[in-house]
Short mmCIF file of all heavy atoms in Angstrom, two decimals:
data_model
loop_
_atom_site.label_atom_id
_atom_site.label_comp_id
_atom_site.label_asym_id
_atom_site.label_seq_id
_atom_site.Cartn_x
_atom_site.Cartn_y
_atom_site.Cartn_z
N ASP A 1 6.62 51.71 21.34
CA ASP A 1 5.38 51.04 20.97
C ASP A 1 5.55 50.08 19.80
O ASP A 1 4.90 49.05 19.75
CB ASP A 1 4.30 52.07 20.64
CG ASP A 1 3.35 52.31 21.81
OD1 ASP A 1 3.47 51.60 22.82
OD2 ASP A 1 2.49 53.19 21.70
N ALA A 2 6.43 50.44 18.89
CA ALA A 2 6.69 49.57 17.74
C ALA A 2 7.30 48.26 18.21
O ALA A 2 7.01 47.18 17.68
CB ALA A 2 7.60 50.26 16.75
N GLU A 3 8.15 48.35 19.24
CA GLU A 3 8.78 47.15 19.78
C GLU A 3 7.74 46.24 20.43
O GLU A 3 7.76 45.02 20.25
CB GLU A 3 9.83 47.55 20.82
CG GLU A 3 10.66 46.38 21.30
CD GLU A 3 11.75 46.80 22.28
OE1 GLU A 3 12.27 47.93 22.17
OE2 GLU A 3 12.06 45.97 23.17
N ASN A 4 6.81 46.83 21.19
CA ASN A 4 5.74 46.05 21.82
C ASN A 4 4.85 45.40 20.76
O ASN A 4 4.43 44.25 20.91
CB ASN A 4 4.90 46.93 22.73
CG ASN A 4 5.61 47.30 24.02
OD1 ASN A 4 6.57 46.65 24.40
ND2 ASN A 4 5.16 48.35 24.66
N GLU A 5 4.57 46.15 19.71
CA GLU A 5 3.73 45.63 18.63
C GLU A 5 4.42 44.45 17.94
O GLU A 5 3.80 43.43 17.64
CB GLU A 5 3.43 46.74 17.63
CG GLU A 5 2.35 46.38 16.64
CD GLU A 5 2.01 47.54 15.73
OE1 GLU A 5 1.84 48.67 16.23
OE2 GLU A 5 1.90 47.29 14.52
N ALA A 6 5.72 44.59 17.71
CA ALA A 6 6.49 43.51 17.07
C ALA A 6 6.53 42.28 17.97
O ALA A 6 6.39 41.14 17.50
CB ALA A 6 7.90 44.00 16.76
N THR A 7 6.71 42.50 19.27
CA THR A 7 6.73 41.40 20.22
C THR A 7 5.38 40.69 20.25
O THR A 7 5.31 39.45 20.29
CB THR A 7 7.10 41.90 21.64
OG1 THR A 7 8.36 42.56 21.58
CG2 THR A 7 7.16 40.78 22.63
N GLU A 8 4.33 41.48 20.23
CA GLU A 8 2.98 40.92 20.24
C GLU A 8 2.73 40.07 18.99
O GLU A 8 2.18 38.97 19.06
CB GLU A 8 1.95 42.07 20.31
CG GLU A 8 0.64 41.66 20.94
CD GLU A 8 -0.26 42.88 21.16
OE1 GLU A 8 0.07 43.73 22.00
OE2 GLU A 8 -1.30 42.93 20.45
N LYS A 9 3.14 40.60 17.83
CA LYS A 9 2.98 39.85 16.58
C LYS A 9 3.80 38.56 16.61
O LYS A 9 3.33 37.51 16.18
CB LYS A 9 3.41 40.71 15.39
CG LYS A 9 2.39 41.72 14.96
CD LYS A 9 2.85 42.44 13.71
CE LYS A 9 1.80 43.46 13.27
NZ LYS A 9 2.22 44.16 12.04
N ALA A 10 5.01 38.64 17.14
CA ALA A 10 5.87 37.45 17.22
C ALA A 10 5.23 36.40 18.13
O ALA A 10 5.23 35.21 17.80
CB ALA A 10 7.25 37.84 17.74
N ASN A 11 4.69 36.83 19.25
CA ASN A 11 4.03 35.90 20.18
C ASN A 11 2.82 35.24 19.53
O ASN A 11 2.58 34.04 19.72
CB ASN A 11 3.63 36.61 21.47
CG ASN A 11 4.82 36.93 22.36
OD1 ASN A 11 5.86 36.30 22.26
ND2 ASN A 11 4.67 37.92 23.23
N LYS A 12 2.06 36.02 18.76
CA LYS A 12 0.91 35.45 18.06
C LYS A 12 1.36 34.42 17.03
O LYS A 12 0.73 33.37 16.88
CB LYS A 12 0.09 36.56 17.39
CG LYS A 12 -0.75 37.36 18.36
CD LYS A 12 -1.57 38.41 17.65
CE LYS A 12 -2.37 39.23 18.65
NZ LYS A 12 -3.16 40.30 18.01
N LEU A 13 2.44 34.73 16.33
CA LEU A 13 2.97 33.78 15.34
C LEU A 13 3.45 32.50 16.01
O LEU A 13 3.23 31.40 15.51
CB LEU A 13 4.13 34.41 14.57
CG LEU A 13 3.75 35.36 13.44
CD1 LEU A 13 4.99 36.05 12.87
CD2 LEU A 13 3.03 34.61 12.33
N ILE A 14 4.11 32.65 17.16
CA ILE A 14 4.60 31.48 17.89
C ILE A 14 3.43 30.62 18.34
O ILE A 14 3.45 29.40 18.19
CB ILE A 14 5.47 31.92 19.09
CG1 ILE A 14 6.79 32.50 18.59
CG2 ILE A 14 5.72 30.75 20.04
CD1 ILE A 14 7.61 33.20 19.67
N GLU A 15 2.40 31.23 18.89
CA GLU A 15 1.21 30.48 19.33
C GLU A 15 0.53 29.80 18.16
O GLU A 15 0.09 28.66 18.26
CB GLU A 15 0.23 31.41 20.07
CG GLU A 15 0.64 31.76 21.47
CD GLU A 15 0.91 30.53 22.34
OE1 GLU A 15 0.07 29.61 22.36
OE2 GLU A 15 1.99 30.50 22.96
N SER A 16 0.46 30.50 17.04
CA SER A 16 -0.15 29.92 15.84
C SER A 16 0.66 28.71 15.35
O SER A 16 0.09 27.67 14.98
CB SER A 16 -0.22 30.98 14.75
OG SER A 16 -0.74 30.44 13.56
N ALA A 17 1.97 28.84 15.40
CA ALA A 17 2.83 27.72 14.99
C ALA A 17 2.69 26.55 15.94
O ALA A 17 2.63 25.40 15.50
CB ALA A 17 4.29 28.19 14.93
N LYS A 18 2.62 26.82 17.24
CA LYS A 18 2.44 25.75 18.22
C LYS A 18 1.14 25.01 17.99
O LYS A 18 1.08 23.77 18.05
CB LYS A 18 2.46 26.32 19.64
CG LYS A 18 3.83 26.69 20.14
CD LYS A 18 3.76 27.22 21.58
CE LYS A 18 5.12 27.62 22.10
NZ LYS A 18 5.04 28.16 23.47
N THR A 19 0.08 25.76 17.69
CA THR A 19 -1.22 25.14 17.42
C THR A 19 -1.15 24.28 16.16
O THR A 19 -1.66 23.16 16.14
CB THR A 19 -2.31 26.23 17.26
OG1 THR A 19 -2.38 26.98 18.47
CG2 THR A 19 -3.66 25.62 16.98
N ALA A 20 -0.51 24.79 15.13
CA ALA A 20 -0.38 24.03 13.88
C ALA A 20 0.42 22.76 14.10
O ALA A 20 0.06 21.68 13.60
CB ALA A 20 0.28 24.90 12.81
N ILE A 21 1.49 22.85 14.88
CA ILE A 21 2.32 21.68 15.17
C ILE A 21 1.51 20.64 15.95
O ILE A 21 1.56 19.45 15.65
CB ILE A 21 3.59 22.09 15.96
CG1 ILE A 21 4.53 22.87 15.04
CG2 ILE A 21 4.28 20.88 16.56
CD1 ILE A 21 5.67 23.56 15.78
N GLU A 22 0.75 21.08 16.93
CA GLU A 22 -0.07 20.16 17.72
C GLU A 22 -1.12 19.47 16.86
O GLU A 22 -1.37 18.27 17.01
CB GLU A 22 -0.74 20.92 18.88
CG GLU A 22 -1.35 20.04 19.93
CD GLU A 22 -0.37 19.09 20.60
OE1 GLU A 22 0.77 19.48 20.88
OE2 GLU A 22 -0.76 17.92 20.81
N ASN A 23 -1.73 20.23 15.95
CA ASN A 23 -2.72 19.65 15.04
C ASN A 23 -2.09 18.61 14.12
O ASN A 23 -2.67 17.54 13.89
CB ASN A 23 -3.40 20.74 14.21
CG ASN A 23 -4.34 21.59 15.03
OD1 ASN A 23 -4.77 21.22 16.12
ND2 ASN A 23 -4.64 22.78 14.53
N GLU A 24 -0.92 18.91 13.60
CA GLU A 24 -0.21 17.95 12.74
C GLU A 24 0.19 16.71 13.52
O GLU A 24 0.10 15.59 13.01
CB GLU A 24 1.03 18.60 12.12
CG GLU A 24 0.73 19.61 11.04
CD GLU A 24 0.09 18.99 9.81
OE1 GLU A 24 0.48 17.88 9.42
OE2 GLU A 24 -0.83 19.61 9.25
N LYS A 25 0.63 16.91 14.75
CA LYS A 25 1.01 15.79 15.60
C LYS A 25 -0.19 14.88 15.85
O LYS A 25 -0.09 13.65 15.75
CB LYS A 25 1.57 16.31 16.92
CG LYS A 25 1.99 15.22 17.88
CD LYS A 25 2.49 15.83 19.19
CE LYS A 25 2.71 14.77 20.25
NZ LYS A 25 3.08 15.34 21.55
N SER A 26 -1.33 15.49 16.16
CA SER A 26 -2.54 14.70 16.40
C SER A 26 -2.96 13.92 15.16
O SER A 26 -3.34 12.74 15.25
CB SER A 26 -3.69 15.62 16.84
OG SER A 26 -3.42 16.18 18.10
N ALA A 27 -2.89 14.56 14.02
CA ALA A 27 -3.25 13.89 12.77
C ALA A 27 -2.30 12.73 12.48
O ALA A 27 -2.73 11.64 12.06
CB ALA A 27 -3.24 14.89 11.61
N ALA A 28 -1.01 12.94 12.72
CA ALA A 28 -0.02 11.88 12.48
C ALA A 28 -0.25 10.71 13.43
O ALA A 28 -0.15 9.54 13.02
CB ALA A 28 1.40 12.44 12.65
N MET A 29 -0.56 10.99 14.69
CA MET A 29 -0.81 9.92 15.66
C MET A 29 -2.06 9.13 15.27
O MET A 29 -2.08 7.91 15.37
CB MET A 29 -0.98 10.50 17.06
CG MET A 29 0.32 11.00 17.68
SD MET A 29 1.57 9.71 17.84
CE MET A 29 0.86 8.71 19.12
N LYS A 30 -3.09 9.82 14.82
CA LYS A 30 -4.31 9.14 14.40
C LYS A 30 -4.03 8.23 13.21
O LYS A 30 -4.48 7.07 13.18
CB LYS A 30 -5.37 10.18 14.03
CG LYS A 30 -6.72 9.60 13.69
CD LYS A 30 -7.75 10.68 13.43
CE LYS A 30 -9.09 10.06 13.11
NZ LYS A 30 -10.12 11.08 12.88
N GLU A 31 -3.26 8.72 12.26
CA GLU A 31 -2.92 7.93 11.08
C GLU A 31 -2.08 6.71 11.49
O GLU A 31 -2.27 5.60 10.99
CB GLU A 31 -2.16 8.78 10.07
CG GLU A 31 -1.86 8.06 8.78
CD GLU A 31 -1.17 8.94 7.75
OE1 GLU A 31 -1.22 10.17 7.88
OE2 GLU A 31 -0.57 8.36 6.82
N LEU A 32 -1.15 6.92 12.41
CA LEU A 32 -0.30 5.83 12.89
C LEU A 32 -1.14 4.75 13.59
O LEU A 32 -0.96 3.56 13.36
CB LEU A 32 0.76 6.36 13.85
CG LEU A 32 1.73 5.34 14.43
CD1 LEU A 32 2.51 4.64 13.32
CD2 LEU A 32 2.69 6.02 15.40
N LYS A 33 -2.09 5.18 14.43
CA LYS A 33 -2.97 4.22 15.11
C LYS A 33 -3.78 3.42 14.10
O LYS A 33 -3.95 2.21 14.26
CB LYS A 33 -3.89 4.95 16.08
CG LYS A 33 -3.19 5.44 17.32
CD LYS A 33 -4.15 6.19 18.24
CE LYS A 33 -3.42 6.74 19.45
NZ LYS A 33 -4.31 7.49 20.34
N ASN A 34 -4.29 4.08 13.08
CA ASN A 34 -5.06 3.38 12.05
C ASN A 34 -4.19 2.38 11.29
O ASN A 34 -4.63 1.27 10.99
CB ASN A 34 -5.68 4.38 11.07
CG ASN A 34 -6.84 5.14 11.68
OD1 ASN A 34 -7.46 4.70 12.64
ND2 ASN A 34 -7.14 6.30 11.14
N THR A 35 -2.96 2.77 11.00
CA THR A 35 -2.04 1.88 10.30
C THR A 35 -1.72 0.66 11.15
O THR A 35 -1.71 -0.47 10.65
CB THR A 35 -0.74 2.63 9.93
OG1 THR A 35 -1.07 3.74 9.10
CG2 THR A 35 0.24 1.73 9.21
N VAL A 36 -1.48 0.87 12.43
CA VAL A 36 -1.18 -0.24 13.34
C VAL A 36 -2.40 -1.17 13.43
O VAL A 36 -2.25 -2.40 13.40
CB VAL A 36 -0.76 0.27 14.74
CG1 VAL A 36 -0.72 -0.85 15.75
CG2 VAL A 36 0.59 0.97 14.66
N ALA A 37 -3.59 -0.61 13.53
CA ALA A 37 -4.80 -1.42 13.60
C ALA A 37 -4.97 -2.25 12.32
O ALA A 37 -5.28 -3.44 12.39
CB ALA A 37 -6.02 -0.54 13.82
N ASP A 38 -4.77 -1.62 11.18
CA ASP A 38 -4.88 -2.34 9.90
C ASP A 38 -3.86 -3.47 9.82
O ASP A 38 -4.18 -4.58 9.38
CB ASP A 38 -4.69 -1.38 8.72
CG ASP A 38 -5.85 -0.44 8.52
OD1 ASP A 38 -6.93 -0.69 9.10
OD2 ASP A 38 -5.68 0.56 7.79
N LEU A 39 -2.65 -3.19 10.23
CA LEU A 39 -1.60 -4.19 10.20
C LEU A 39 -1.92 -5.35 11.14
O LEU A 39 -1.76 -6.52 10.79
CB LEU A 39 -0.26 -3.56 10.58
CG LEU A 39 0.97 -4.45 10.53
CD1 LEU A 39 1.15 -5.06 9.14
CD2 LEU A 39 2.21 -3.66 10.91
N SER A 40 -2.41 -5.03 12.33
CA SER A 40 -2.78 -6.07 13.30
C SER A 40 -3.88 -6.96 12.75
O SER A 40 -3.84 -8.19 12.89
CB SER A 40 -3.24 -5.43 14.61
OG SER A 40 -2.19 -4.71 15.20
N LEU A 41 -4.89 -6.37 12.13
CA LEU A 41 -5.97 -7.16 11.54
C LEU A 41 -5.47 -8.04 10.40
O LEU A 41 -5.88 -9.20 10.29
CB LEU A 41 -7.07 -6.23 11.02
CG LEU A 41 -7.98 -5.63 12.09
CD1 LEU A 41 -8.93 -4.61 11.47
CD2 LEU A 41 -8.76 -6.72 12.80
N SER A 42 -4.59 -7.49 9.61
CA SER A 42 -4.03 -8.27 8.50
C SER A 42 -3.26 -9.48 9.02
O SER A 42 -3.41 -10.59 8.49
CB SER A 42 -3.12 -7.38 7.67
OG SER A 42 -2.52 -8.09 6.64
N ILE A 43 -2.46 -9.27 10.05
CA ILE A 43 -1.70 -10.38 10.64
C ILE A 43 -2.66 -11.42 11.23
O ILE A 43 -2.49 -12.62 11.02
CB ILE A 43 -0.73 -9.86 11.71
CG1 ILE A 43 0.39 -9.06 11.04
CG2 ILE A 43 -0.15 -11.00 12.54
CD1 ILE A 43 1.26 -8.27 12.01
N ALA A 44 -3.67 -10.95 11.95
CA ALA A 44 -4.63 -11.87 12.55
C ALA A 44 -5.37 -12.68 11.48
O ALA A 44 -5.57 -13.88 11.64
CB ALA A 44 -5.63 -11.09 13.41
N GLU A 45 -5.74 -12.02 10.39
CA GLU A 45 -6.42 -12.73 9.29
C GLU A 45 -5.54 -13.83 8.72
O GLU A 45 -6.01 -14.95 8.48
CB GLU A 45 -6.76 -11.75 8.16
CG GLU A 45 -7.97 -10.89 8.42
CD GLU A 45 -8.22 -9.91 7.28
OE1 GLU A 45 -7.32 -9.69 6.43
OE2 GLU A 45 -9.33 -9.36 7.24
N LYS A 46 -4.27 -13.52 8.51
CA LYS A 46 -3.35 -14.50 7.93
C LYS A 46 -3.13 -15.68 8.88
O LYS A 46 -3.12 -16.83 8.45
CB LYS A 46 -2.02 -13.84 7.58
CG LYS A 46 -2.14 -12.93 6.37
CD LYS A 46 -0.85 -12.21 6.06
CE LYS A 46 -1.09 -11.28 4.87
NZ LYS A 46 0.06 -10.46 4.58
N LEU A 47 -2.99 -15.37 10.18
CA LEU A 47 -2.80 -16.45 11.15
C LEU A 47 -4.05 -17.32 11.25
O LEU A 47 -3.96 -18.55 11.29
CB LEU A 47 -2.47 -15.87 12.53
CG LEU A 47 -1.08 -15.25 12.68
CD1 LEU A 47 -0.95 -14.58 14.04
CD2 LEU A 47 -0.01 -16.30 12.51
N LEU A 48 -5.20 -16.68 11.27
CA LEU A 48 -6.46 -17.42 11.37
C LEU A 48 -6.68 -18.28 10.12
O LEU A 48 -7.06 -19.45 10.23
CB LEU A 48 -7.62 -16.46 11.56
CG LEU A 48 -8.97 -17.06 11.91
CD1 LEU A 48 -8.87 -17.92 13.16
CD2 LEU A 48 -10.00 -15.97 12.10
N ALA A 49 -6.41 -17.71 8.96
CA ALA A 49 -6.58 -18.47 7.72
C ALA A 49 -5.65 -19.68 7.70
O ALA A 49 -6.04 -20.77 7.29
CB ALA A 49 -6.29 -17.58 6.52
N LYS A 50 -4.44 -19.50 8.20
CA LYS A 50 -3.47 -20.60 8.24
C LYS A 50 -3.95 -21.70 9.18
O LYS A 50 -3.86 -22.88 8.87
CB LYS A 50 -2.11 -20.06 8.68
CG LYS A 50 -0.99 -21.05 8.56
CD LYS A 50 0.34 -20.40 8.89
CE LYS A 50 1.46 -21.39 8.69
NZ LYS A 50 2.77 -20.80 8.98
N GLU A 51 -4.48 -21.30 10.33
CA GLU A 51 -4.96 -22.30 11.29
C GLU A 51 -6.23 -23.00 10.79
O GLU A 51 -6.41 -24.19 11.01
CB GLU A 51 -5.22 -21.65 12.65
CG GLU A 51 -3.95 -21.32 13.37
CD GLU A 51 -4.09 -21.31 14.87
OE1 GLU A 51 -5.14 -21.74 15.39
OE2 GLU A 51 -3.15 -20.87 15.52
N LEU A 52 -7.10 -22.27 10.13
CA LEU A 52 -8.35 -22.87 9.65
C LEU A 52 -8.12 -23.73 8.41
O LEU A 52 -8.98 -24.51 8.03
CB LEU A 52 -9.38 -21.77 9.36
CG LEU A 52 -9.90 -21.02 10.59
CD1 LEU A 52 -10.90 -19.95 10.16
CD2 LEU A 52 -10.53 -21.96 11.60
N ASP A 53 -6.97 -23.58 7.80
CA ASP A 53 -6.63 -24.37 6.63
C ASP A 53 -6.40 -25.84 7.02
O ASP A 53 -6.60 -26.73 6.23
CB ASP A 53 -5.36 -23.79 5.99
CG ASP A 53 -5.19 -24.22 4.55
OD1 ASP A 53 -6.21 -24.46 3.88
OD2 ASP A 53 -4.03 -24.31 4.11
N ASN A 54 -6.04 -26.04 8.26
CA ASN A 54 -5.74 -27.37 8.77
C ASN A 54 -6.93 -27.86 9.60
O ASN A 54 -7.20 -27.35 10.67
CB ASN A 54 -4.47 -27.30 9.62
CG ASN A 54 -4.06 -28.62 10.21
OD1 ASN A 54 -4.85 -29.55 10.28
ND2 ASN A 54 -2.83 -28.69 10.66
N LYS A 55 -7.67 -28.87 9.10
CA LYS A 55 -8.88 -29.34 9.77
C LYS A 55 -8.58 -29.87 11.17
O LYS A 55 -9.35 -29.64 12.10
CB LYS A 55 -9.56 -30.42 8.93
CG LYS A 55 -10.91 -30.82 9.50
CD LYS A 55 -11.65 -31.78 8.60
CE LYS A 55 -12.99 -32.10 9.22
NZ LYS A 55 -13.80 -32.95 8.39
N GLU A 56 -7.48 -30.55 11.31
CA GLU A 56 -7.11 -31.11 12.61
C GLU A 56 -6.90 -29.98 13.63
O GLU A 56 -7.37 -30.05 14.75
CB GLU A 56 -5.81 -31.91 12.45
CG GLU A 56 -5.68 -33.06 13.43
CD GLU A 56 -4.46 -33.91 13.11
OE1 GLU A 56 -4.53 -34.69 12.13
OE2 GLU A 56 -3.47 -33.74 13.83
N LYS A 57 -6.21 -28.95 13.20
CA LYS A 57 -5.95 -27.79 14.06
C LYS A 57 -7.27 -27.07 14.39
O LYS A 57 -7.47 -26.60 15.49
CB LYS A 57 -4.97 -26.84 13.37
CG LYS A 57 -4.54 -25.68 14.21
CD LYS A 57 -3.65 -26.12 15.35
CE LYS A 57 -3.13 -24.91 16.10
NZ LYS A 57 -2.45 -25.25 17.33
N GLN A 58 -8.16 -27.05 13.43
CA GLN A 58 -9.46 -26.42 13.61
C GLN A 58 -10.24 -27.15 14.72
O GLN A 58 -10.78 -26.52 15.62
CB GLN A 58 -10.23 -26.50 12.29
CG GLN A 58 -11.28 -25.47 12.10
CD GLN A 58 -11.86 -25.57 10.68
OE1 GLN A 58 -11.46 -26.39 9.87
NE2 GLN A 58 -12.81 -24.73 10.41
N LEU A 59 -10.27 -28.46 14.65
CA LEU A 59 -10.98 -29.25 15.66
C LEU A 59 -10.31 -29.10 17.03
O LEU A 59 -10.99 -29.02 18.06
CB LEU A 59 -11.02 -30.72 15.25
CG LEU A 59 -11.89 -31.03 14.03
CD1 LEU A 59 -11.71 -32.48 13.60
CD2 LEU A 59 -13.34 -30.72 14.30
N GLU A 60 -9.00 -29.02 17.02
CA GLU A 60 -8.25 -28.81 18.26
C GLU A 60 -8.62 -27.47 18.90
O GLU A 60 -8.84 -27.38 20.11
CB GLU A 60 -6.76 -28.81 17.90
CG GLU A 60 -5.83 -29.17 19.02
CD GLU A 60 -4.39 -29.23 18.49
OE1 GLU A 60 -4.06 -30.18 17.75
OE2 GLU A 60 -3.63 -28.31 18.83
N ASN A 61 -8.72 -26.42 18.08
CA ASN A 61 -9.10 -25.10 18.58
C ASN A 61 -10.52 -25.10 19.14
O ASN A 61 -10.79 -24.50 20.18
CB ASN A 61 -8.99 -24.05 17.47
CG ASN A 61 -7.57 -23.68 17.17
OD1 ASN A 61 -6.68 -23.84 18.00
ND2 ASN A 61 -7.34 -23.17 15.96
N ILE A 62 -11.43 -25.79 18.46
CA ILE A 62 -12.82 -25.87 18.93
C ILE A 62 -12.88 -26.59 20.27
O ILE A 62 -13.52 -26.12 21.22
CB ILE A 62 -13.71 -26.57 17.88
CG1 ILE A 62 -13.85 -25.69 16.64
CG2 ILE A 62 -15.09 -26.91 18.47
CD1 ILE A 62 -14.49 -26.39 15.46
N GLN A 63 -12.16 -27.70 20.37
CA GLN A 63 -12.15 -28.46 21.62
C GLN A 63 -11.54 -27.64 22.75
O GLN A 63 -12.05 -27.63 23.87
CB GLN A 63 -11.38 -29.78 21.45
CG GLN A 63 -11.50 -30.71 22.63
CD GLN A 63 -12.96 -31.10 22.92
OE1 GLN A 63 -13.68 -31.55 22.03
NE2 GLN A 63 -13.40 -30.91 24.16
N GLU A 64 -10.49 -26.94 22.46
CA GLU A 64 -9.82 -26.09 23.46
C GLU A 64 -10.78 -24.99 23.95
O GLU A 64 -10.87 -24.72 25.15
CB GLU A 64 -8.57 -25.46 22.86
CG GLU A 64 -7.74 -24.65 23.84
CD GLU A 64 -6.50 -24.08 23.17
OE1 GLU A 64 -5.81 -24.81 22.43
OE2 GLU A 64 -6.22 -22.89 23.41
N THR A 65 -11.52 -24.41 23.04
CA THR A 65 -12.49 -23.37 23.40
C THR A 65 -13.60 -23.96 24.25
O THR A 65 -14.01 -23.36 25.26
CB THR A 65 -13.08 -22.71 22.14
OG1 THR A 65 -12.00 -22.15 21.37
CG2 THR A 65 -14.06 -21.60 22.49
N LEU A 66 -14.08 -25.13 23.86
CA LEU A 66 -15.13 -25.78 24.66
C LEU A 66 -14.63 -26.15 26.05
O LEU A 66 -15.36 -26.01 27.04
CB LEU A 66 -15.63 -27.04 23.94
CG LEU A 66 -16.46 -26.81 22.67
CD1 LEU A 66 -16.75 -28.13 21.98
CD2 LEU A 66 -17.75 -26.08 23.00
N ASP A 67 -13.40 -26.61 26.14
CA ASP A 67 -12.82 -26.97 27.44
C ASP A 67 -12.71 -25.75 28.36
O ASP A 67 -12.89 -25.85 29.57
CB ASP A 67 -11.44 -27.60 27.27
CG ASP A 67 -11.51 -28.98 26.65
OD1 ASP A 67 -12.61 -29.57 26.62
OD2 ASP A 67 -10.45 -29.45 26.17
N LYS A 68 -12.42 -24.59 27.77
CA LYS A 68 -12.27 -23.37 28.56
C LYS A 68 -13.61 -22.76 28.94
O LYS A 68 -13.68 -21.95 29.86
CB LYS A 68 -11.45 -22.34 27.78
CG LYS A 68 -9.98 -22.69 27.68
CD LYS A 68 -9.22 -21.63 26.91
CE LYS A 68 -7.77 -21.98 26.78
NZ LYS A 68 -7.02 -20.98 25.99
N THR A 69 -14.66 -23.13 28.22
CA THR A 69 -15.98 -22.56 28.46
C THR A 69 -16.68 -23.32 29.58
O THR A 69 -16.78 -24.54 29.54
CB THR A 69 -16.85 -22.62 27.18
OG1 THR A 69 -16.15 -21.97 26.13
CG2 THR A 69 -18.19 -21.96 27.39
N LYS A 70 -17.12 -22.56 30.57
CA LYS A 70 -17.83 -23.19 31.70
C LYS A 70 -19.33 -23.10 31.42
O LYS A 70 -19.87 -22.03 31.16
CB LYS A 70 -17.50 -22.48 33.00
CG LYS A 70 -16.06 -22.63 33.41
CD LYS A 70 -15.79 -21.97 34.74
CE LYS A 70 -14.32 -22.14 35.09
NZ LYS A 70 -13.99 -21.48 36.35
N LEU A 71 -19.95 -24.24 31.46
CA LEU A 71 -21.39 -24.29 31.24
C LEU A 71 -22.10 -24.34 32.60
O LEU A 71 -21.66 -25.01 33.52
CB LEU A 71 -21.77 -25.52 30.42
CG LEU A 71 -21.14 -25.59 29.02
CD1 LEU A 71 -21.51 -26.90 28.35
CD2 LEU A 71 -21.60 -24.43 28.16
N ASN A 72 -23.21 -23.62 32.70
CA ASN A 72 -23.97 -23.61 33.97
C ASN A 72 -24.89 -24.79 34.08
O ASN A 72 -25.48 -25.30 33.25
CB ASN A 72 -24.78 -22.31 34.10
CG ASN A 72 -23.85 -21.11 34.27
OD1 ASN A 72 -22.72 -21.27 34.73
ND2 ASN A 72 -24.33 -19.95 33.89
#
C-alpha cells in the first residue's frame, strides 16, 4: 500500500508540474505575441512617419489610394 500511495503522490506531482509548465508556456506565448505586436506597430510608425515626411511621396500615396478606390 505504501508503494501505491507513493506512486499516486508521484503521479499527482507530475500532473501538477505539467499544468504549471503549460501555464508558463501560455504566459510566455502571450508575452511574445504582445512584444511582436508592439514591435510591428513601432516599425509601421517609423515607416509611415518617414513617408509622410516627404510631401511628394504623401501626394503619391494619396493618388495611389484614390486610383485603387472604386467609386459607385
Side-chain angles (χ1 to χ4, degrees):
D1 261 354
E3 188 177 329
N4 287 341
E5 192 175 314
T7 303
E8 206 172 293
K9 282 185 179 181
N11 287 337
K12 285 182 182 178
L13 280 172
I14 290 169
E15 284 305 312
S16 177
K18 284 181 180 178
T19 300
I21 290 169
E22 193 59 40
N23 288 342
E24 287 295 321
K25 180 182 171 185
S26 293
M29 288 300 290
K30 185 176 181 179
E31 185 177 341
L32 181 60
K33 287 179 183 179
N34 287 338
T35 300
V36 169
D38 289 345
L39 183 57
S40 297
L41 284 174
S42 177
I43 291 169
E45 282 178 345
K46 288 177 183 175
L47 288 174
L48 190 56
K50 189 174 183 179
E51 286 207 10
L52 292 179
D53 199 30
N54 180 342
K55 187 174 182 177
E56 209 173 284
K57 185 70 174 170
Q58 205 174 359
L59 292 173
E60 204 176 288
N61 285 337
I62 291 169
Q63 189 59 52
E64 185 179 315
T65 302
L66 290 173
D67 290 344
K68 288 181 181 178
T69 304
K70 294 183 181 178
L71 300 176
N72 293 335

